[in-house]
Amino acid sequence: MSSFSNLHTISFHKASFCEKKLLPGLTFNWSSRLIENKSSSLVCSVVSQDTYHVGLKIHHPTTRSNVVTLIDQTEEALCSTGKFGRFGGIFVPETLVNCLNMLVDEFNAVLHDPEFQAELAIALRDYVGRETPLYFAQRLTDHYKNSKGEGPEIYLKREDLNHGGAHKINNAIAQAMLAKRMGRKNVVAATGAGQHGVATAAACAKLGLNCTIVMGNVDMERQSSNVLLMKHLGAKVKSVEGTFKDATSEAIRDWVEDLDKSYYLAGTAVGPHPCPNMVREFQSVIGKETRKQAMEKWGSKPDVLVACVGGGSNALGIFHEFVRDEDVRLIGVEAAGIGIDSGKHSATLAKGDVGVYHGAMSYLLQDDEGQIIGPHSIGVGLEYPGVSPELSFLKDIGRAEFYTVTDEEALDAYALLSRLEGIFPALEAAHALAYLGKLCQTLPNGTKVVVNCSGRGDKDAETVFMYQQQQMVRRLVTLNGIGK
Amino acid sequence: MALSSSSSAASSTACRTQTYLPLHLRSHSLLPFKLNRVTPFCPSNSRCPPIVCAVTKMAATAVEKELETAARPDSFGRFGKFGGKYVPETLMYALTELEAAFNALASDHEFQKELDGILRDYVGRETPLYFAERLTEHYKNPDGKGPHIYLKREDLNHTGAHKINNAVAQALLAKRLGKKRIIAETGAGQHGVATATVCARFGLQCVIYMGAQDMQRQELNVFRMRLLGAEVRPVHSGTATLKDATSEAIRDWVTNALEKWGGKPDVLVACVGGGSNAMGLFHEFVDDKEVRLIGIEAAGFGLDSGKHAATLTKGEVGVLHGAMSYLLQDEDGQIVEPHSISAGLDYPGVGPEHSFLKDIGRAEYYSITDEEALEAFKRLSRLEGIIPALETSHALAYLEKLCPTLPDGTKLVLNCSGRGDKDVQTAINHLKL
């Protein structure tokens, strides 16, 4: 194991599976895994074969509340049911079931495969550029101090520094490696803001796989720079009418047509099991690093974690590591668009109802007849009417809190971070940053807040430019009006 | 530590003994970059021998003599006959102050600690030394032999290029000197954005001078600078002047190299505009003559077209922007307007240290056309999923000519000086995707 001592950035410690019959006539082998001491740099695991029982020995603080117990039980049940409490599941046509079962097997296999893990660790380190820093934002911290000079300390987890410019690549490179291992030649993925498209195209180029990215025509216009990047990386970009939700539906349709040779690369923690689980596992490197870095920097855990929520991949990526640490507050920020009551938003957890979409049960923006409501947000990556089933679960049990931020607040946060720290955040991440405006005044002095800066905002410069032009015009008009 | 099958390093090199002095005793950079302790690479199946320090040999060749005799630069700021301080009297005081401050930093632990922290947490260093497997495969000959190609990933830095290394250090220096205002010039805007970025970070006032024509062509970069809080002032005289500040050594990659294959690189390749990224890569190894240094300039439409920026190949010695160096000038000593598809290489001068290294034969300089660069841009994107800056693409293009001449297993490190997001529109127009 000593050769892995530098590779602590990937330790898939939270996989628990059990041997059980999922569907009549279908059995598959799953093995359980005992994990110890996940905060150390070495992951020691003991693999044991257990039928129908899972023994999970987890090193945790002595008092275990109901919430944590519930989380543990849910994690155990996840393997056999694909559900997080009542959310998640495998709501797919029969044609897809076999494929998904194979995926589950393969995913389970790589979690126990030291060679795969070593190769992934090297890719994350040398190709993606991990570890990403945990950056103390001094000027932002000062900005939020009250008149007495008190306030929380704000740290940014710099996922914007990854290759491709967002957290998406953590998952894309791992799944592309998985696809290659499974002998698939063609990868298909759907993208909204384009970051997942770029990440997938890059990973496929690196691994020599064919790549098709499906993108809504509306999104292609709004995030055109990313479209160019995908084309340069050798991907075929397929346009569909609409936005990300429509692209997702089309990508799944594409995948079903050629299940043997195609691999559907999910970009966020939605879809039928095992997609949400896989994406969360591969993104959990964010939280693992954060724990280690927080310990190095201030000798303890963060107090509050803040992340934007579209599908939920970056939020789960940073939350997952701390889900059992009840002294760590988990805050997700969704898009309120034009306003939470305007009907033009993407605040699924705030305003949605439970339903089934893209293969999983979760909160969903739907009308009284159960039709999907078209969402809106200036942060294109947040514009999704559904949300991760796991986040729905965490909301229901009260483990995580969810709030919303409007387009304008996000655009202002973009400008603020640029001016104070010289960092352009993606408009999606800007939602998380905007929430600091409400959060900081409620926090005791010295609280350690970590915001997941999930992507860089170069792709949004034009949008912000136009917004600022409009603001200028509006100001001039108002001034003239007063003049009269 | 690469475990992929095509890396033969593990089996063939085993544990190399170090044949040069440990880093902390032999430093070329004046800046006290603190790096992790280096341990020799040892594959798990062999025992680690102790480190052996060899006594340095006496200068045997003219090159070594040149390199050993004087400090570089000397007290007059010269590299051989190049460099110097050709400035009006009014600037002398400021330059002397700057020089003194820069030298004082060598022993300033507080500065070192602060800079280290910023490079790590703000810029995102260390940047990886990435084994480009598919690019290496691409350049193998029919026998399956060829060099091993590694990319130093400066494209992963905050703001997407190596420029920020220098900007951050200089901003910190400026703060030390009690300066409140930073001035910079920019051509296409990359250096301007990097400067504005660090000024925002350090709360310094920032003024960027930019050619009026460039301001129109690079509206988005102008907007970015303003968003960062900088004032952008149009300049109506002259052409797009690209000014590269003193280059910074990128020393951490020496550690990377030792970790990866237990020795030094054999060949270093970098593009050359003003020369900062190339000097950053070369500097640590200038005295190691087993390491070949190759700089690639822009040949634009071709060396004979008159529309290029190949200063070291086609230029003559003269004084520009305060220093003596090679530069593109006509018979009347007037500056010739350079051309390159990449704005960052579009400069009629070159750093005086490069001129010196060329003259003494320590470094080799070649050139690459716009077309060749665009091909290389496409090639790296398709083979490795990394979109390089068009400047970097020049260095990558030279691999076409270089690789067939290199023995099997040669360790080649190329400085991937920036990412190419800024160039996608230009490239699309030319590549017709």
Side-chain angles (χ1 to χ4, degrees):
Chain A
M1 273 299 222
S2 59
S3 52
F4 300 142
S5 57
N6 289 340
L7 307 179
H8 56 268
T9 49
I10 60 119
S11 42
F12 301 116
H13 67 283
K14 270 279 65 141
S16 57
F17 299 90
C18 53
E19 195 176 305
K20 207 173 191 257
K21 287 195 175 156
L22 182 60
L23 292 165
L26 279 170
T27 7
F28 26 104
N29 290 324
W30 311 48
S31 49
S32 67
R33 204 162 167 233
L34 302 172
I35 286 93
E36 289 167 345
N37 201 1
K38 64 182 181 227
S39 61
S40 71
S41 59
L42 275 176
V43 173
C44 305
S45 60
V46 175
V47 178
S48 73
Q49 295 285 322
D50 256 342
T51 54
Y52 301 101
H53 293 292
V54 176
L56 266 179
K57 208 186 283 176
I58 304 153
H59 180 64
H60 281 298
T62 41
T63 44
R64 293 163 60 67
S65 74
N66 292 334
V67 172
V68 175
T69 312
L70 196 52
I71 290 172
D72 286 338
Q73 289 171 347
T74 306
E75 201 67 26
E76 282 178 37
L78 177 66
C79 55
S80 53
T81 61
K83 282 179 165 260
F84 300 91
R86 59 177 171 140
F87 302 104
I90 313 180
F91 293 85
V92 294
E94 203 57 35
T95 30
L96 278 180
V97 172
N98 250 344
C99 201
L100 288 172
N101 287 340
M102 276 199 282
L103 191 53
V104 166
D105 283 346
E106 203 62 45
F107 177 55
N108 184 43
V110 300
L111 289 178
H112 295 77
D113 183 353
E115 252 191 61
F116 181 91
Q117 290 198 26
E119 213 183 309
L120 179 58
I122 289 166
L124 288 173
R125 186 192 65 203
D126 291 353
Y127 185 64
V128 174
R130 303 209 70 91
E131 296 173 5
T132 56
L134 185 62
Y135 168 70
F136 175 54
Q138 174 82 68
R139 293 191 78 205
L140 194 66
T141 295
D142 289 340
H143 175 84
Y144 285 119
K145 284 194 168 134
N146 62 19
S147 45
K148 283 186 254 157
E150 296 175 343
E153 286 177 21
I154 303 169
Y155 291 80
L156 304 178
K157 183 58 174 156
R158 301 291 301 281
E159 294 299 297
D160 57 299
L161 291 176
N162 284 328
H163 179 54
H167 70 293
K168 294 290 183 190
I169 187 99
N170 303 325
N171 167 60
I173 188 73
Q175 285 206 52
M177 283 172 59
L178 191 62
K180 192 163 185 180
R181 192 188 153 102
M182 289 170 85
R184 305 289 166 85
K185 297 270 178 286
N186 308 316
V187 170
V188 62
T191 191
Q195 289 300 136
H196 177 59
V198 169
T200 306
C204 288
K206 178 185 180 353
L207 295 170
L209 299 168
N210 295 325
C211 181
T212 303
I213 305 293
V214 188
M215 199 169 179
N217 60 352
V218 175
D219 292 339
M220 283 177 80
E221 240 194 78
R222 300 191 279 187
Q223 308 274 243
S224 53
S225 56
N226 273 343
V227 178
L228 284 179
L229 290 173
M230 286 181 246
K231 288 188 172 160
H232 277 299
L233 291 164
K236 186 176 128 195
V237 183
K238 189 171 160 182
S239 160
V240 295
E241 191 77 35
T243 62
F244 175 58
K245 59 174 179 41
D246 309 292
T248 304
S249 303
E250 182 65 27
I252 294 176
R253 248 175 257 136
D254 249 21
W255 172 39
V256 177
E257 276 173 30
D258 188 8
L259 289 175
D260 294 324
K261 290 204 234 64
S262 286
Y263 181 93
Y264 171 70
L265 212 157
T268 189
V270 300
H273 181 71
C275 297
N277 190 26
M278 274 199 326
V279 173
R280 169 252 267 174
E281 278 302 328
F282 291 136
Q283 290 293 358
S284 66
V285 62
I286 305 174
K288 287 182 185 98
E289 281 179 12
T290 304
R291 185 189 285 281
K292 177 181 93 86
Q293 290 163 329
M295 188 57 77
E296 281 168 4
K297 282 189 146 53
W298 64 79
S300 178
K301 293 178 285 194
D303 299 309
V304 188
L305 300 176
V306 188
C308 63
V309 174
S313 59
N314 97 84
L316 283 167
I318 199 166
F319 290 173
H320 185 61
E321 176 68 19
F322 297 97
V323 122
R324 287 174 180 75
D325 290 287
E326 286 187 282
D327 45 350
V328 179
R329 249 177 101 184
L330 310 176
I331 297 183
V333 186
E334 291 186 300
I338 307 212
I340 198 76
D341 297 313
S342 68
K344 292 208 156 298
H345 62 79
S346 301
T348 315
L349 292 163
K351 287 282 199 171
D353 294 309
V354 180
V356 175
Y357 188 50
H358 288 149
M361 178 162 289
S362 194
Y363 278 97
L364 187 47
L365 289 173
Q366 52 183 317
D367 61 22
D368 296 323
E369 278 143 28
Q371 297 302 315
I372 302 299
I373 296 176
H376 162 80
S377 171
I378 193 101
V380 179
L382 303 185
E383 218 180 56
Y384 183 60
V387 75
S388 157
E390 189 168 2
L391 287 179
S392 298
F393 169 68
L394 291 176
K395 173 189 152 91
D396 259 22
I397 65 171
R399 177 64 188 98
E401 313 157 46
F402 297 93
Y403 306 102
T404 62
V405 145
T406 63
D407 286 354
E408 258 196 52
E409 290 170 323
L411 286 158
D412 289 340
Y414 183 105
L416 188 70
L417 195 70
S418 309
R419 192 168 50 83
L420 290 181
E421 296 287 351
I423 300 171
F424 295 118
L427 278 174
E428 294 79 6
H431 282 71
L433 290 158
Y435 188 67
L436 292 175
K438 295 176 190 136
L439 177 66
C440 289
Q441 46 203 325
T442 70
L443 296 175
N445 189 33
T447 308
K448 305 278 192 278
V449 178
V450 175
V451 181
N452 203 11
C453 191
S454 49
R456 63 177 184 244
D458 298 46
K459 64 184 178 67
D460 299 313
E462 202 147 344
T463 307
V464 181
F465 182 47
M466 310 240 270
Y467 167 70
Q468 297 218 340
Q469 303 279 79
Q470 286 167 7
Q471 291 290 88
M472 258 197 307
V473 168
R474 239 175 267 154
R475 251 178 257 134
L476 284 170
V477 167
T478 318
L479 281 171
N480 283 335
I482 293 169
K484 286 193 190 115
Chain B
M1 268 189 85
L3 294 177
S4 61
S5 53
S6 53
S7 166
S8 56
S11 46
S12 59
T13 57
C15 290
R16 284 223 191 108
T17 53
Q18 320 289 30
T19 53
Y20 50 96
L21 292 167
L23 274 172
H24 71 278
L25 291 178
R26 183 184 153 107
S27 159
H28 300 286
S29 171
L30 288 176
L31 283 174
F33 290 112
K34 200 168 77 170
L35 303 167
N36 293 330
R37 244 195 97 53
V38 168
T39 49
F41 167 67
C42 287
S44 51
N45 57 4
S46 65
R47 282 171 55 237
C48 267
I51 296 177
V52 172
C53 302
V55 177
T56 47
K57 295 189 296 192
M58 293 295 284
T61 68
V63 174
E64 280 178 348
K65 219 179 203 128
E66 276 283 355
L67 290 171
E68 275 184 25
T69 39
R72 277 188 333 277
D74 63 18
S75 50
F76 292 107
R78 287 188 197 279
F79 304 87
K81 65 173 175 183
F82 301 103
K85 296 183 217 181
Y86 295 83
V87 292
E89 204 56 38
T90 32
L91 277 181
M92 284 303 291
Y93 175 70
L95 287 176
T96 311
E97 187 193 37
L98 186 60
E99 206 178 329
F102 183 66
N103 287 328
L105 294 174
S107 47
D108 188 335
H109 292 289
E110 279 306 308
F111 181 89
Q112 169 197 315
K113 233 175 78 174
E114 208 184 334
L115 181 58
D116 272 351
I118 295 165
L119 288 173
R120 186 192 61 217
D121 289 349
Y122 187 65
V123 176
R125 302 204 71 88
E126 302 169 358
T127 55
L129 186 63
Y130 168 71
F131 176 57
E133 193 173 340
R134 290 192 80 205
L135 196 65
T136 296
E137 279 303 311
H138 176 82
Y139 284 118
K140 284 197 167 137
N141 65 20
D143 293 326
K145 297 191 170 152
H148 297 167
I149 303 171
Y150 291 79
L151 303 177
K152 181 59 179 164
R153 300 293 301 282
E154 294 298 300
D155 59 299
L156 291 176
N157 284 328
H158 181 48
T159 67
H162 70 292
K163 295 281 180 195
I164 189 124
N165 300 325
N166 168 57
V168 146
Q170 286 205 51
L172 207 54
L173 176 59
K175 263 204 122 159
R176 276 310 184 88
L177 289 172
K179 309 293 181 186
K180 299 267 182 294
R181 199 161 155 267
I182 305 291
I183 304 172
E185 294 172 19
T186 192
Q190 287 304 116
H191 179 60
V193 172
T195 307
T197 297
V198 302
C199 288
R201 164 72 180 71
F202 289 106
L204 295 164
Q205 195 196 345
C206 182
V207 179
I208 306 287
Y209 288 92
M210 197 171 180
Q213 249 196 28
D214 281 337
M215 280 180 74
Q216 260 194 355
R217 292 188 291 194
Q218 303 285 333
E219 214 181 18
L220 212 52
N221 268 343
V222 175
F223 171 65
R224 279 198 185 102
M225 288 183 256
R226 289 190 170 138
L227 206 55
L228 292 162
E231 185 196 331
V232 186
R233 289 191 193 161
V235 173
H236 295 276
S237 61
T239 58
T241 49
L242 165 65
K243 180 180 158 217
D244 282 358
T246 314
S247 55
E248 292 291 305
I250 307 174
R251 282 178 60 204
D252 59 47
W253 76 278
V254 175
T255 313
N256 286 177
L258 290 166
E259 279 173 0
K260 285 211 149 42
W261 64 76
K264 292 174 280 185
D266 300 309
V267 189
L268 303 179
V269 186
C271 63
V272 175
S276 61
N277 97 84
M279 225 41 244
L281 189 75
F282 294 172
H283 186 63
E284 191 59 24
F285 290 100
V286 159
D287 291 341
D288 277 306
K289 66 179 185 69
E290 303 105 73
V291 182
R292 240 177 111 185
L293 310 178
I294 299 181
I296 307 297
E297 292 185 303
F301 290 148
L303 285 178
D304 299 316
S305 68
K307 294 221 156 291
H308 60 81
T311 314
L312 291 163
T313 308
K314 286 285 203 169
E316 280 159 39
V317 181
V319 177
L320 178 67
H321 293 146
M324 177 164 288
S325 195
Y326 277 96
L327 53 122
L328 293 173
Q329 52 185 314
D330 63 17
E331 274 136 24
D332 296 320
Q334 299 303 313
I335 302 300
V336 168
E337 178 108 28
H339 162 81
S340 169
I341 193 166
S342 61
L345 302 185
D346 204 350
Y347 183 58
V350 74
E353 194 163 5
H354 283 292
S355 300
F356 172 67
L357 293 177
K358 174 194 153 86
D359 257 22
I360 65 169
R362 176 63 187 97
E364 310 157 48
Y365 297 91
Y366 307 104
S367 57
I368 284 290
T369 63
D370 287 353
E371 285 290 328
E372 291 170 316
L374 282 162
E375 274 307 307
F377 178 96
K378 187 171 158 189
R379 193 158 38 237
L380 192 72
S381 304
R382 298 295 163 97
L383 288 180
E384 296 287 351
I386 298 170
I387 301 179
L390 276 174
E391 293 80 1
T392 311
S393 303
H394 284 72
L396 287 158
Y398 189 67
L399 293 179
E400 293 283 292
K401 295 177 189 142
L402 179 64
C403 291
T405 72
L406 297 175
D408 186 36
T410 307
K411 299 285 185 281
L412 189 156
V413 175
L414 190 144
N415 208 13
C416 193
S417 50
R419 62 178 186 243
D421 299 44
K422 63 187 178 63
D423 299 315
V424 287
Q425 196 60 63
T426 311
I428 276 260
N429 295 337
H430 284 88
L431 297 173
K432 297 178 190 41
L433 281 170

